Amino acid sequence: APQRKPAAKKRPPLSPVRAADAEAREKRQRRASNIKVLFTAVDVTDKERAMLSAFGGVQVKAPREWRDATHLVCPVPLKRTPKFLAAVSVVEHVVTLDWLRQSEQMARAVDAADYVPRDKKAERNWRFDLEETLARTRNGEKCLAGYALLLDHRARRDPKAGLPTDDELKAIAECAGAQWLLNPTKAGRRSTGPWPPRRGVVLLGDPKIAVDRFIRDQIAPAAIAAHVDKETLWSAILSKDLPWAAGGDASDDGAAAPP
């Protein structure tokens, strides 16, 4: 008869100290795996990637992944990049590279509060307070919730418009809570959420030019809540304060369809 293999020896239970160490290590690993870092205006090399992996962080790259970021790493002075515009609506922390360096040294994500980039000139010019905006983001506030953001096709054709790419605009809109529409044709079918949107459509283009009647017809029964340029939209996203909702000059006044 074939010989039976001896039963594997059972490992003795860990001592209370070793068990506590193992539990603490597992908690650190779980926390690290939840750290997803987006870089903007930073030349990310193998050096930065090594610093990130030293404490278990993960780099976020593609626009479709921006919504998952927990930290945005950026330099001072601040730059209003597409990543920055998207990140302020989703991340818990905006930090400088010093946070990354210190986290590498400590082999854990250090407290981000000491590494918030402050650029009073940029914040004043863009009419927002970074720390206040982040506090509102952490409270779950989505400034464009209930809206759809539609890009006016004439703005995309304008070489002077300086708009982000379609994928970047989509990420900015969705991070801020809006539905994204690149094309108004059959908007109800193309939308990623209920149509018409509860609060209406924000049209990104040139508010000095009347809204194309084709756009109005295609988005019906939705109405245009605001016709804004990129400067107005960027400031609204950064500050989480919507000028059109407060009766400001970014409303659809004067943007009637041409006769």
Side-chain angles (χ1 to χ4, degrees):
Q3 293 183 346
R4 293 182 179 179
K5 292 183 179 180
K9 293 183 179 180
K10 293 183 179 181
R11 292 183 178 180
L14 295 175
S15 67
V17 173
R18 293 184 63 188
D21 288 344
E23 183 179 357
R25 185 167 57 251
E26 184 179 346
K27 286 183 178 179
R28 286 196 300 270
Q29 290 171 346
R30 283 200 302 269
R31 282 198 301 267
S33 65
N34 291 328
I35 296 171
K36 298 182 179 180
V37 177
L38 181 64
F39 293 89
T40 188
V42 174
D43 184 14
V44 181
T45 66
D46 289 343
K47 179 181 178 181
E48 285 73 29
R49 283 187 282 269
M51 286 192 285
L52 184 59
S53 63
F55 60 93
V58 177
Q59 183 181 357
V60 171
K61 296 180 181 179
R64 66 179 181 276
E65 301 173 337
W66 294 355
R67 69 178 67 188
D68 300 324
T70 59
H71 293 67
L72 176 73
V73 175
C74 65
V76 176
L78 298 176
K79 295 184 179 180
R80 202 171 47 173
T81 65
K83 290 179 180 178
F84 189 90
L85 291 165
V88 293
S89 297
V90 293
V91 299
E92 298 175 23
H93 307 287
V94 177
V95 293
T96 63
L97 273 169
D98 287 336
W99 172 83
L100 192 67
R101 298 185 184 102
Q102 189 65 21
S103 295
E104 178 197 25
Q105 293 179 9
M106 301 297 292
R108 61 177 176 82
V110 298
D111 187 356
D114 296 330
Y115 301 93
V116 178
R118 297 319 304 252
D119 186 345
K120 289 299 183 183
K121 181 179 179 181
E123 292 177 62
R124 184 171 58 252
N125 289 341
W126 301 336
R127 301 189 295 278
F128 87 114
D129 181 282
L130 179 59
E131 288 191 316
E132 179 182 336
T133 294
L134 292 176
R136 293 168 70 175
T137 294
R138 286 191 285 267
N139 285 334
E141 185 173 338
K142 297 287 187 181
C143 66
L144 294 183
Y147 290 101
L149 179 64
L150 170 63
L151 175 64
D152 190 325
H153 56 280
R154 295 170 295 185
R156 175 56 78 206
R157 292 199 298 261
D158 183 359
K160 297 179 181 179
L163 291 170
T165 67
D166 294 341
D167 285 344
E168 290 170 341
L169 279 173
K170 182 176 187 291
I172 292 169
E174 293 181 345
C175 285
Q179 299 178 46
W180 164 247
L181 280 176
L182 173 62
N183 188 329
T185 305
K186 298 180 181 178
R189 295 184 186 179
R190 291 175 179 269
S191 67
T192 56
W195 197 265
R198 178 170 52 87
R199 303 177 73 183
V201 175
V202 176
L203 180 64
L204 175 59
D206 185 349
K208 296 188 294 293
I209 301 175
V211 178
D212 192 324
R213 175 173 288 174
F214 171 78
I215 292 176
R216 291 186 184 275
D217 290 344
Q218 292 297 314
I219 67 172
I224 294 178
H227 186 191
V228 300
D229 58 19
K230 66 176 184 180
E231 291 299 320
T232 301
L233 183 62
W234 297 167
S235 291
I237 289 173
L238 290 174
S239 67
K240 294 187 183 291
D241 295 324
L242 310 181
W244 59 87
D249 59 5
S251 70
D252 194 31
D253 295 342

